[in-house]
Amino acid sequence: MPFNIARGNQNVVDPYNNYWDGRSQAEPLFRGIRDCNIFLEKIHEVPDIDDFEKHKWMAEVNFLKAYFHFYLLRMYGPIPIMDENLPITSGTDAVKVERQHVDTCFNYIVNLLDKAAADLPEEIELEAIEAGRITKPIAKAVKAKVLIYAASPLFNGNKDYTGYVGNSGEQLFDPQYSVEKWERAAEACKEAIELSHATGHELFYWQPNQPDISEQTIAKMHIRNSVTEEWNREIIWSNTNSMTSFTQWASQARLVPEPTANIQSLLAPTMRMAELFYTENGVPITEDKTWDYAGRFQLRTATPEEKYLIKEGYQTVALHFQRETRFYASLAFDGAIWYGQGRFNDDDPFYVQAKMGQNAARKAVAYYSVTGYWPKKLVNFNNPVSLGVSYAAEAYPWPEIRLADLYLLYAEALNETNGPGPEPLKWINLVRERASLKTVEESWSAYSKTPGKYQNQNGLREIIHQERMIEMAFEGQRFWDLRRWKKAEQVMNSPIRGWTTEEEEATGYYQVQTLFNQAFQKRDYFWPIREQSLIENEKLIQSPGW
């Protein structure tokens, strides 16, 4: 269903991904909130439950209640707040709830998270049976993210919604920008980071068990395993209700001659994502004065010095050369080295062959990458790929929040509060260091066509946004970030491009083709409410533009 939204086919009659009502392959989140309220109402009636366990469970449910409200808020904008369930005897007027001011919604969610955090443990003691349950660091990290959204341009001083009023005539958005919202977000990020550090969370660095692993491969595995190694100390919140077997089936390229059962290769990153990552010098490909941006589609052959990144002697395009570690860790492409999946000899790894007739190319009507790229970052390197054997994915819980995520949110809030300086750069540079990059200051000063970019607020904001999209690529953050930054109209109205994947020769394969055109209008920043719901409750106001 999401691809129909991307094509501009969202509608009001039966909206796609309808989390308001629970239709069109979406869960009814208001039902989830109702279940939370029932639990909180009735837990006091449970006999023989000790106070410690009762308060812990109540804290977990208050967290869920806050998160469900937040999920609806970022999707629909101002929402009704359902703090308590209505009595079964409530009349017609009582059940006709209204949208609340967006700041009221954010404050309600933050208060619930604070209430939950007070009774949550700092760490899980019985990991064997309770890993994945909510902790104080999780609640604090989600609070930081909620306040970042509240401070972001979509919600903070957005004059596009000056005329957006509720049923009672109250404005639902404050058109005045408030830097205090960024200050509040920065403080929440700092608190979440300090608590995460105190409870043992740290950026992930992979320690290989195999001998003679190259520095390039180790650097790539720092990135891949920060996502796919379950319970690693970088992940603050691992969501055990969202396991990743299908995600890995859909992300894995075929690396052997015959199709392997379960490998679907459905997730196909776009060329825009391939162009997003930095050069090896740590600056955008459009800014690096030493990198030939105009010649990025010319064919080039990999040398022995590049064999841990691209198959030695393989011909691919210049776009795939001299890129940063996260490019090779996150993406696979025709000629890319794919370490692991049963091959752990660094001098004899799998590599992707994607042209028509080769291993990773289309074998049937479906189940292939339409762009010629794969999100390798999402695949656990321990999943074995063998000829004629079903592909068994070693599932990991989805990483909802990593420490690197928090670092970059903190840097963003600090820049918006006080502008550029050592403190926001410190947190960006910690993430860049793990990605084998020099600091922002060193990289931009030495290699960028705009060497002073990081020294002004607008320039550093652009750097932080790109750094975030690179570090969090394919982790479900970019879509929401583009919306809260109000960049979606700019980015998501451009064509989806990929390679001409049904060609057998490199000269034909490496031709850029447009697969379809995305459509994003101003109204798409918030989902529409189904028309039938508006008929049933005339106090509800439709989202702007719908």
Side-chain angles (χ1 to χ4, degrees):
M1 295 302 178
F3 65 84
N4 281 314
I5 298 175
R7 291 175 183 267
N9 296 330
Q10 183 62 288
N11 68 96
V12 298
V13 176
D14 194 11
Y16 295 112
N17 284 44
N18 182 355
Y19 284 89
W20 191 286
D21 301 297
R23 295 170 61 90
S24 186
Q25 299 182 337
E27 296 296 324
L29 291 186
F30 280 114
R31 182 188 299 170
I33 293 171
R34 183 188 67 193
D35 290 345
C36 290
N37 286 335
I38 292 172
F39 182 96
L40 294 171
E41 290 170 8
K42 300 296 184 181
I43 190 172
H44 305 287
E45 301 174 13
V46 177
D48 302 325
I49 184 172
D50 64 68
D51 284 344
F52 174 80
E53 188 170 39
K54 180 171 70 173
H55 287 104
K56 181 182 176 184
W57 286 5
M58 290 174 65
E60 291 173 334
V61 172
N62 274 316
F63 171 87
L64 291 175
K65 184 176 170 181
Y67 191 70
F68 293 157
H69 275 93
F70 172 58
Y71 207 98
L72 288 163
L73 174 59
R74 69 176 182 174
M75 185 175 288
Y76 293 96
I79 58 170
I81 293 174
M82 307 305 295
D83 189 48
E84 295 180 349
N85 287 344
L86 296 170
I88 194 68
T89 56
S90 297
T92 304
D93 286 343
V95 300
K96 293 181 178 179
V97 294
E98 301 181 43
R99 293 184 188 248
Q100 302 294 311
H101 192 285
V102 69
D103 290 342
T104 302
C105 297
F106 276 117
N107 288 332
Y108 173 76
I109 292 166
V110 167
N111 289 337
L112 266 183
L113 289 170
D114 283 338
K115 184 178 180 180
D119 288 318
L120 287 169
E122 291 192 350
E123 297 182 82
I124 294 298
E125 294 182 2
L126 303 175
E127 290 188 358
I129 59 174
E130 292 193 328
R133 293 184 70 162
I134 304 303
T135 61
K136 192 186 296 286
I138 293 173
K140 293 297 184 181
V142 171
K143 175 186 173 180
K145 183 162 286 192
V146 169
L147 287 172
I148 287 284
Y149 274 77
S152 296
L154 182 61
F155 296 100
N156 185 6
N158 189 346
K159 297 186 185 302
D160 293 337
Y161 299 135
T162 300
Y164 186 18
V165 298
N167 180 71
S168 61
E170 176 196 17
Q171 275 200 333
L172 298 178
F173 277 79
D174 185 347
Q176 299 302 313
Y177 171 79
S178 170
V179 71
E180 288 78 13
K181 292 181 179 179
W182 281 113
E183 292 171 352
R184 190 182 179 195
E187 185 59 35
C189 288
K190 180 181 179 182
E191 184 182 7
I193 289 170
E194 288 178 347
L195 180 58
S196 296
H197 288 169
T199 51
H201 292 285
E202 58 187 3
L203 292 182
F204 177 86
Y205 283 85
W206 184 61
Q207 301 297 323
N209 293 322
Q210 301 80 20
D212 303 321
I213 303 297
S214 67
E215 290 183 5
Q216 293 100 318
T217 296
I218 292 172
K220 286 187 290 182
M221 297 307 293
H222 293 334
I223 308 302
R224 284 183 65 184
N225 280 20
S226 70
V227 173
T228 63
E229 184 170 309
E230 63 178 354
W231 315 122
N232 79 74
R233 297 304 297 171
E234 178 169 346
I235 300 175
I236 297 170
W237 182 13
S238 292
N239 187 349
T240 53
N241 287 314
S242 183
M243 300 301 283
T244 53
S245 291
F246 178 79
T247 298
Q248 295 186 76
W249 301 339
S251 302
Q252 176 71 63
R254 294 185 181 88
L255 303 173
V256 292
E258 293 298 325
T260 307
N262 295 344
I263 293 180
Q264 299 184 4
S265 294
L266 290 171
L267 295 182
T270 64
M271 188 165 295
R272 184 189 297 124
M273 293 302 294
E275 293 181 331
L276 172 69
F277 291 82
Y278 296 142
T279 69
E280 64 184 358
N281 297 319
V283 297
I285 61 175
T286 55
E287 290 187 36
D288 192 329
K289 58 189 180 184
T290 70
W291 200 83
D292 183 11
Y293 178 76
R296 66 193 184 282
F297 297 144
Q298 294 177 1
L299 291 175
R300 178 173 164 180
T301 302
T303 65
E305 291 73 25
E306 295 156 333
K307 69 176 184 177
Y308 297 117
L309 306 174
I310 302 172
K311 174 66 176 176
E312 181 181 348
Y314 204 91
Q315 192 177 50
T316 181
V317 284
L319 179 66
H320 300 155
F321 288 83
Q322 296 173 293
R323 304 298 298 277
E324 62 157 310
T325 295
R326 289 175 296 190
F327 175 82
Y328 300 105
S330 303
L331 278 174
F333 51 86
D334 181 45
I337 296 299
W338 194 307
Y339 178 79
Q341 318 319 138
R343 286 195 183 179
F344 304 109
N345 181 342
D346 210 13
D347 291 314
D348 185 31
F350 282 116
Y351 67 97
V352 178
Q353 302 170 76
K355 293 183 283 292
M356 183 56 67
Q358 295 182 324
N359 294 346
R362 179 173 66 84
K363 305 292 184 182
V365 175
Y367 301 148
Y368 68 103
S369 170
V370 297
T371 63
Y373 290 104
W374 290 261
K376 179 169 60 173
K377 177 185 186 180
L378 303 182
V379 177
N380 190 313
F381 83 112
N382 288 315
N383 302 342
V385 171
S386 301
L387 189 65
V389 178
S390 293
Y391 179 74
E394 188 175 301
Y396 55 90
W398 185 255
E400 295 285 351
I401 300 181
R402 294 192 285 123
L403 192 58
D405 185 359
L406 272 186
Y407 284 179
L408 294 175
L409 291 176
Y410 190 28
E412 181 180 351
L414 289 170
N415 182 57
E416 297 299 336
T417 301
N418 296 311
E423 191 65 12
L425 288 168
K426 165 188 171 181
W427 300 101
I428 307 168
N429 289 333
L430 285 171
V431 176
R432 289 171 64 88
E433 181 181 15
R434 197 260 301 274
S436 304
L437 294 175
K438 294 180 179 179
T439 66
V440 169
E441 304 94 296
E442 292 174 289
S443 295
W444 259 262
S445 297
Y447 298 103
S448 176
K449 297 173 185 176
T450 55
K453 184 175 181 178
Y454 67 91
Q455 295 174 329
N456 65 81
Q457 188 180 50
N458 290 336
L460 186 56
R461 178 186 298 123
E462 188 177 322
I463 290 170
I464 291 170
H465 286 187
Q466 183 156 355
E467 191 74 45
R468 183 167 173 78
M469 286 192 288
I470 291 170
E471 177 65 28
M472 306 307 297
F474 314 128
E475 295 182 51
Q477 303 291 340
R478 179 175 175 270
F479 174 77
W480 300 108
D481 281 341
L482 288 173
R483 286 159 57 100
R484 70 179 177 87
W485 294 329
K486 289 189 68 179
K487 286 186 172 182
E489 288 173 273
Q490 169 192 343
V491 175
M492 303 181 79
N493 267 318
S494 54
I496 295 297
R497 299 173 302 143
W499 300 116
T500 306
T501 56
E502 300 200 6
E503 293 290 331
E504 296 181 357
E505 301 297 328
T507 52
Y509 180 92
Y510 286 111
Q511 298 296 317
V512 179
Q513 65 168 335
T514 296
L515 298 167
F516 68 88
N517 291 306
Q518 281 184 298
F520 191 100
Q521 302 178 49
K522 197 174 294 294
R523 69 180 188 179
D524 292 313
Y525 280 109
F526 294 123
W527 254 248
I529 298 175
R530 189 167 64 112
E531 279 186 337
Q532 183 61 35
S533 297
L534 299 177
I535 293 171
E536 294 168 353
N537 179 4
E538 67 274 10
K539 290 185 179 181
L540 280 179
I541 304 299
Q542 183 58 282
S543 298
W546 295 98

